[in-house]
Amino acid sequence: AVVSTQSTGEWLTDEDNLPRWKKYLAESLMENDYNLSEEEAAKQVEEGKMKEWKKAVTEFAKFILGNWKSVGIFHDVLEDIEGAKIFYVGDENGDTIYYIKDLYRTDKF
């Protein structure tokens, strides 16, 4: 198995990934508000939406890593970083499954 020594923060902000995440966040904002221009969406990303997203992803990563001994991760056969993920966490308190549809979008049910 390959183990990355790159921290969550570095992975989220490295030169290869940062433009992708910003683009996805801007697209998500425009999907939720059809009147929002690309420029305004990009501005919102720069003015705080990126920071909010990064904080939420980092908190989730810390939670998963803190429970690593009881975590199972399921993804598509291509191991697509942008694709859906399922995190299974099982411990003495029960079993919980977290379904991540998109890393860059939040849907409330």
Side-chain angles (χ1 to χ4, degrees):
V2 176
V3 176
S4 173
T5 58
Q6 188 176 38
S7 75
T8 303
E10 292 169 345
W11 175 75
L12 294 174
T13 58
D14 73 20
E15 290 180 20
D16 293 332
N17 292 324
L18 188 59
R20 175 183 15 201
W21 306 137
K22 287 182 177 183
K23 176 180 173 266
Y24 290 158
L25 287 170
E27 288 173 356
S28 179
L29 290 170
M30 289 186 294
E31 284 179 14
N32 291 325
D33 181 354
Y34 293 110
N35 296 318
L36 196 63
S37 69
E38 286 184 37
E39 293 79 19
E40 183 58 34
K43 182 179 175 185
Q44 286 184 24
V45 168
E46 293 298 328
E47 291 180 347
K49 293 294 183 183
M50 183 69 190
K51 186 175 181 179
E52 290 173 20
W53 177 81
K54 182 181 172 191
K55 180 180 177 187
V57 170
T58 300
E59 287 174 3
F60 184 73
K62 286 179 183 178
F63 164 74
I64 291 295
L65 291 173
N67 291 288
W68 193 249
K69 66 180 186 239
S70 60
V71 170
I73 302 172
F74 304 89
H75 48 78
D76 64 19
V77 295
L78 299 176
E79 297 184 18
D80 181 10
I81 190 146
E82 299 167 13
K85 309 281 182 279
I86 296 174
F87 295 87
Y88 164 81
V89 180
D91 59 20
E92 62 276 355
N93 297 319
D95 300 320
T96 307
I97 294 177
Y98 299 91
Y99 175 70
I100 310 297
K101 179 177 147 185
D102 295 298
L103 287 175
Y104 62 93
R105 180 177 295 131
T106 302
D107 291 329
K108 295 182 181 177
F109 297 99

